[in-house]
Amino acid sequence: MAERSTVRSVTYDLLRTLGLTTVFGNPGSTEQPFLQDFPEDFTYVLALQEASVIAMADAFAQVAGRPALVNVHSSAGLGNAVGNLVAAYHGNTPLIVTSGQQHRELVPGDPYLANRDAVELPRPWVKWSYEPARAEDVPEAFMRAYAEALQPPAGPVYLSIPMDDWKRPLSGFTRVRTVSTRTAPDPRRLRAFAERLSASRRPALVFGPEVDRGGGWDGAVALAEKLRAAVYGAPLLDRASFPEDHPLFGGPLGLSVRTIGDRLAGHDLVAVIGAEVFRYYPYVPGDYLPAGTGLLQITGNPRVAAAARVGDSLLGDPGLAIELLLDLVEDGSARTAPDPMPRPRVLPPAPNSPLTPPEVYATLSRVRPADAVIVNESTSTMAQQLEWLPTTRSGSFFATASGGIGWGTPAAVGVALADRERGVRRTVVGLIGDGSFQYSVQALYTAARHELPVVYVVMRNHEYSILKSFAVLEETPGVPGLDLPGLDIASVARGFGCHAVDVETTEDLEREFKAALDAGTTTVIVVPTQPQKAML
């Protein structure tokens, strides 16, 4: 006898058609009617806390190049997830986040575990938030969620689904659609931008995360070389979009209004492609641009364009815009080549104890495989990471797009899972601070269960070092809670099933890292380090 067609069976058929057969989740009681008799052709990735669920799915979707499906629990689980949902929103990651709602019969009485004002809770960090009015509308809601998540600017969406909807009879759903994922820039305005770039005496290019997300890495290199323009990294990058060892690369712009303005001095025109203008933090007053400097912005996100404090914006896919600009701009070989970023790379004559972050990164630079991926959430040492471990390949650097911590540890899991699904073998290196590591440490369970080739290097400086740097800048002495004594990170990691070691010297670090490359599972290496004052 054939199985009765229900909202659940019809929805699963639609999910298969859309390629959404991996579900990231942490199950709750209101989600069980959706998850019951879980299909053998679907994969369920269990994370032990909803913040980790979102970050894993976020990184997975970025690497896999398609939306990821997330299932968390009602309002309580969704509340846990919101912190990393902010990162997915800022990173334009297409996620379909679902949660169960209480039984429709009970909802009017505000029952336990009801998702009160369900569509309001995840706002403003989703593009679309919806709870179907009827059970029969569930498949169509998924179809629209898929379209909303993918269409530019991509981003997370949310569906709240009453738990009794899944068993309602439904004959089928056939209105499967496809949507566009790229928008072309206005040709006339793009030509005007090209003319200004061609006429510039000393142009600068700032490539942001949208470029790498859109496959524009090679085009960015070609454009910089044709214009012979200096290239800077956009502030607080969550994806690198230009090889950081290239002779035209001048380093990061900085974080404050004053620092960025000073950094751009001497350039008569700055083209910001695929980035905000700018991600400012902290507030240090100054000129947004040096006198006499113009700014052009190309972004696929209208909110990012509208929020720019200076400059002229053009909406359109940055990768496509770069391809078109290559044919429109004039050759800049007559320009004087900009000075490359200085790389002092100074190490002490004798090793320190504890080690300094540059000593850790110098060691990793000798043993890191060329195709390794870096996921960085050691916020106080990112300048040293850039110096010693520059990103030289597309899709090989990831960081949080929101500034909140607790993203990096589970994101490394998502990268490794997506690589495995794509049939790609490469080591994922998670560079995590000891403070950051505590926010999503339960992600180690998922990494160990899936035997993922992730090597976490945790720098143990016994404090929230980045916050102490901000305390100096903001002149706020005596802030409590910035020290972190008594953490036994290796023991916790072993408890989750990982291989974990404490190391003290560069020789120990090199040996254990090499061993981790062949371990066939997840390794956590804990390195005591001296606090590093962040470059703000």
Side-chain angles (χ1 to χ4, degrees):
M1 183 175 178
E3 182 182 353
R4 184 184 64 158
S5 181
T6 62
V7 169
R8 179 184 174 279
S9 65
V10 170
T11 300
Y12 270 107
D13 285 342
L14 174 63
L15 294 175
R16 287 185 183 93
T17 302
L18 298 176
L20 299 173
T21 58
T22 299
V23 181
F24 291 84
N26 183 272
S29 55
T30 53
E31 288 69 47
Q32 290 183 0
F34 168 61
L35 297 171
Q36 71 176 70
D37 299 323
F38 196 68
E40 292 183 358
D41 59 328
F42 278 63
T43 300
Y44 188 85
V45 179
L46 170 65
L48 301 186
Q49 207 265 6
E50 291 86 355
S52 290
V53 171
I54 294 288
M56 288 179 195
D58 183 347
F60 179 91
Q62 291 191 54
V63 175
R66 67 172 192 274
L69 180 60
V70 176
N71 184 242
V72 297
H73 183 40
S74 190
S75 53
L78 181 61
N80 287 337
V82 166
N84 278 333
L85 197 60
V86 177
Y89 179 84
H90 282 296
N92 297 124
T93 304
L95 300 181
I96 300 174
V97 181
T98 66
S99 72
Q101 173 63 292
Q102 257 284 10
H103 196 288
R104 286 183 184 270
E105 177 67 25
L106 293 177
V107 167
D110 197 14
Y112 190 65
L113 293 179
N115 205 353
R116 184 186 300 174
D117 295 329
V119 299
E120 296 301 321
L121 178 57
R123 289 176 177 161
W125 307 115
V126 291
K127 291 178 61 182
W128 183 59
S129 185
Y130 185 66
E131 183 175 280
R134 307 178 305 156
E136 295 82 358
D137 297 333
V138 169
E140 187 158 5
F142 270 92
M143 186 66 252
R144 178 171 173 182
Y146 180 83
E148 292 271 7
L150 266 180
Q151 290 181 135
V157 298
Y158 172 68
L159 294 176
S160 170
I161 304 168
M163 61 188 297
D164 54 314
D165 282 6
W166 297 109
K167 296 183 180 180
R168 297 288 181 90
L170 187 66
S171 58
F173 179 78
T174 60
R175 296 189 300 277
V176 179
R177 301 181 293 119
T178 61
V179 296
S180 173
T181 59
R182 304 185 81 182
T183 54
D186 171 37
R188 181 179 299 178
R189 191 164 178 83
L190 188 67
R191 281 196 297 272
F193 275 31
E195 290 169 2
R196 291 178 65 180
L197 282 167
S198 298
S200 171
R201 292 178 291 100
R202 190 166 179 252
L205 298 173
V206 179
F207 293 117
E210 292 178 53
V211 174
D212 195 48
R213 286 199 294 266
W217 177 286
D218 291 339
V221 174
L223 181 63
E225 291 176 348
K226 185 172 184 179
L227 288 170
R228 211 175 191 185
V231 177
Y232 298 99
L236 299 165
L237 277 172
D238 51 283
R239 295 277 293 264
S241 295
F242 191 83
E244 294 169 343
D245 61 348
H246 194 285
L248 293 175
F249 185 66
L253 272 184
L255 305 181
S256 69
V257 172
R258 178 192 297 171
T259 303
I260 293 172
D262 291 347
R263 197 86 169 85
L264 294 174
H267 295 288
D268 59 332
L269 184 66
V270 180
V272 181
I273 304 178
E276 300 167 42
V277 180
F278 289 101
R279 282 181 177 170
Y280 294 115
Y281 196 84
Y283 176 64
V284 180
D287 295 325
Y288 284 100
L289 285 176
T293 301
L295 187 141
L296 308 174
Q297 181 193 32
I298 301 175
T299 175
N301 192 329
R303 289 177 63 94
V304 167
R309 308 297 295 272
V310 291
D312 303 317
S313 293
L314 170 61
L315 284 175
D317 181 274
L320 180 57
I322 289 172
E323 294 173 14
L324 296 171
L325 281 173
L326 278 168
D327 292 329
L328 294 174
V329 298
E330 296 177 6
D331 183 84
S333 57
R335 294 189 179 99
T336 301
D339 295 329
M341 182 181 79
R343 296 184 184 274
R345 292 192 171 184
V346 177
L347 293 174
N352 285 285
S353 182
L355 297 173
T356 63
E359 289 174 294
V360 172
Y361 287 142
T363 302
L364 295 179
S365 72
R366 296 193 296 270
V367 294
R368 174 190 62 160
D371 63 347
V373 187
I374 284 180
V375 179
N376 190 312
E377 198 169 281
S378 175
T379 51
S380 64
T381 70
M382 293 190 78
Q384 290 71 40
Q385 183 245 300
L386 172 62
E387 181 180 349
W388 289 96
L389 297 171
T391 302
T392 60
R393 300 184 183 207
S394 176
S396 61
F397 174 83
F398 298 88
T400 178
S402 70
I405 59 179
W407 185 89
T409 304
V413 175
V415 172
L417 285 169
D419 276 352
R420 177 172 290 177
E421 183 175 286
R422 297 186 305 148
V424 173
R425 295 178 60 88
R426 55 180 183 167
T427 301
V428 181
V429 182
L431 303 174
I432 315 292
D434 54 353
S436 293
F437 204 66
Q438 308 312 310
Y439 277 67
S440 300
V441 69
Q442 68 284 129
L444 295 181
Y445 174 83
T446 309
R449 293 283 293 179
H450 290 265
E451 298 182 331
L452 296 175
V454 180
V455 184
Y456 291 104
V457 179
V458 182
M459 281 178 274
R460 180 80 175 98
N461 59 23
H462 301 269
E463 66 181 31
Y464 288 123
S465 188
I466 187 68
L467 296 182
K468 288 192 174 183
S469 295
F470 278 120
V472 173
L473 177 70
E474 296 164 354
E475 299 180 354
T476 54
V479 175
L482 301 188
D483 293 310
L484 298 171
L487 292 175
D488 189 347
I489 293 171
S491 292
V492 170
R494 283 190 286 269
F496 281 114
C498 296
H499 175 65
V501 292
D502 290 290
V503 301
E504 300 286 343
T505 67
T506 56
E507 291 80 9
D508 291 343
L509 173 59
E510 183 169 340
R511 182 187 65 254
E512 294 295 342
F513 190 92
K514 287 180 178 178
L517 297 178
D518 300 319
T521 187
T522 301
T523 299
V524 177
I525 304 173
V526 184
V527 191
T529 57
Q530 298 180 24
Q532 176 73 50
K533 183 179 179 181
M535 299 177 64
L536 303 175

